[in-house]
Amino acid sequence: PDPLSLSLLAGAKSRGANVFELRAQGAPWWMTVSQNAAGNHDKPNLLQNRYRDYTNYVAGIAKRLTAMGYPISSVSVFEESTSPPQNNDFGPGPYDSDYGPNDFVPAVYNGQNLQANLLHQLRLSLNAVNLQNVPTVASNEPSPYTSYLSLKDYSASAWNDVGVVGAHGYTAKIGSGNDALLRTLADTHG
């Protein structure tokens, strides 16, 4: 972890924070197709032969943070990974056109078909560093409905690697805020 992140963690902990979630936006540039950590437009960016390297990297960070007194409560290795780049429509200002100058989002855009493999690799990596009890997070899409769409076709074995089902809260802008489908799907798979 970089010094700024550690300083922020220390400040949060000193104010009583006791839940620390690790969410990786994307792999380091050398693990990507585009050689750009910010993404690869609407194409998969994480090299398939680097899945385990990426999850080992993230698991290593989780292990170091835990050893430093910031026990990690969950780990996510993708963010909106089935959502292609989109206009964020935040209005006038520095964010009025897209997420970045090249519309690179998300950094680990890998699509629904590759999520289960990445989650499985993460589970193996966390287990290898004795973080068996730290849950993985899927799928962190823009809304409960898009998270439902991302997860609904997971196999039973893929669900074995899911610890927490996530969705963002900015549903007024993107998708539906109705979480009943997502809750039912999560409840069905434990």
Side-chain angles (χ1 to χ4, degrees):
D2 62 277
L4 177 59
S5 296
L6 290 174
S7 175
L8 292 171
L9 283 168
K13 188 174 182 178
S14 73
R15 289 172 181 80
N18 60 4
V19 175
F20 301 97
E21 300 173 326
L22 178 58
R23 184 180 78 193
Q25 291 289 96
W29 68 268
W30 66 87
M31 296 183 193
T32 67
V33 172
S34 68
Q35 298 292 284
N36 183 338
N40 193 23
H41 297 284
D42 64 349
K43 298 173 184 73
N45 196 32
L46 182 58
L47 292 164
Q48 286 193 22
N49 66 339
R50 291 295 201 153
Y51 274 36
R52 190 60 182 270
D53 294 335
Y54 174 50
T55 60
N56 284 343
Y57 176 81
V58 173
I61 292 169
K63 181 69 172 180
R64 284 190 297 282
L65 288 171
T66 297
M68 295 171 76
Y70 305 100
I72 301 301
S73 61
S74 65
V75 178
S76 175
V77 289
F78 47 80
E79 182 79 5
E80 300 179 11
S81 69
T82 63
S83 302
Q86 55 198 295
N87 185 311
N88 63 26
D89 194 26
F90 289 151
Y95 306 107
D96 63 351
S97 63
D98 56 32
Y99 282 85
N102 300 307
D103 207 17
F104 282 137
V105 69
V108 183
Y109 177 77
N110 56 8
Q112 185 174 5
N113 295 332
L114 301 176
Q115 277 188 11
N117 180 23
L118 189 57
L119 273 174
H120 183 66
Q121 295 301 318
L122 176 59
R123 180 74 273 150
L124 295 173
S125 295
L126 290 169
N127 291 351
V129 295
N130 295 318
L131 294 176
Q132 296 88 341
N133 295 325
V134 174
T136 62
V137 180
S139 77
N140 277 344
E141 295 295 336
S143 73
Y145 184 68
T146 53
S147 284
Y148 165 78
L149 292 176
S150 175
L151 296 168
K152 71 182 179 70
D153 294 325
Y154 270 30
S155 67
S157 63
W159 276 99
N160 290 334
D161 294 317
V162 176
V164 175
V165 172
H168 297 302
Y170 44 84
T171 57
K173 288 281 186 188
I174 305 170
S176 165
N178 182 348
D179 64 357
L181 289 172
L182 184 59
R183 284 184 184 276
T184 300
L185 182 65
D187 289 345
T188 298
H189 293 284

